Amino acid sequence: MAKPMTKTQLVAALAEEMGSDKKTAGGALDALISVITREVSGGGAVTLPGVGKIYCRERAERMVRNPATGEQMKKPADKQVKMTIAKALKDSVNG
């Protein structure tokens, strides 16, 4: 399995794809991350065409077990960020 692409590598690839410099590409990536973070943390969802949908899901209070001690404890309700992958991306990976 290949190593994940780092932010520096992503910015370089984005700059090359856009035909611009790394500073502009880095700014665009930071702006995109900021918009996604603001929207999802506010309870909304963001759809990236061809990639997928990022959204926040609420989890109810539940019982969990500490693996070290085996102790059962109650975990309070929380939120979890989820991503559903687009069919186009799944098909390009598998096809």
Side-chain angles (χ1 to χ4, degrees):
M1 186 166 165
K3 284 186 173 181
M5 185 180 271
T6 65
K7 182 177 179 181
T8 304
Q9 292 169 332
L10 180 59
V11 167
L14 191 57
E16 185 178 320
E17 192 72 26
M18 291 171 48
S20 67
D21 61 346
K22 291 180 184 178
K23 185 174 182 178
T24 303
L29 180 61
D30 290 339
L32 180 64
I33 291 169
S34 175
V35 168
I36 291 171
T37 302
R38 184 174 55 243
E39 185 64 27
V40 173
S41 65
V46 176
T47 300
L48 301 171
V51 176
K53 179 179 177 182
I54 303 170
Y55 58 97
C56 186
R57 182 181 84 110
E58 293 192 19
R59 292 195 296 190
E61 184 178 272
R62 63 198 185 280
M63 294 300 291
V64 295
R65 187 178 68 82
N66 181 339
T69 63
E71 174 190 2
Q72 293 277 337
M73 57 188 172
K74 193 173 283 195
K75 184 168 184 189
D78 61 352
K79 295 180 181 178
Q80 181 180 34
V81 176
K82 303 287 274 181
M83 181 166 185
T84 303
I85 305 301
K87 185 176 183 329
L89 181 57
K90 287 181 191 177
D91 292 345
S92 70
V93 169
N94 292 323

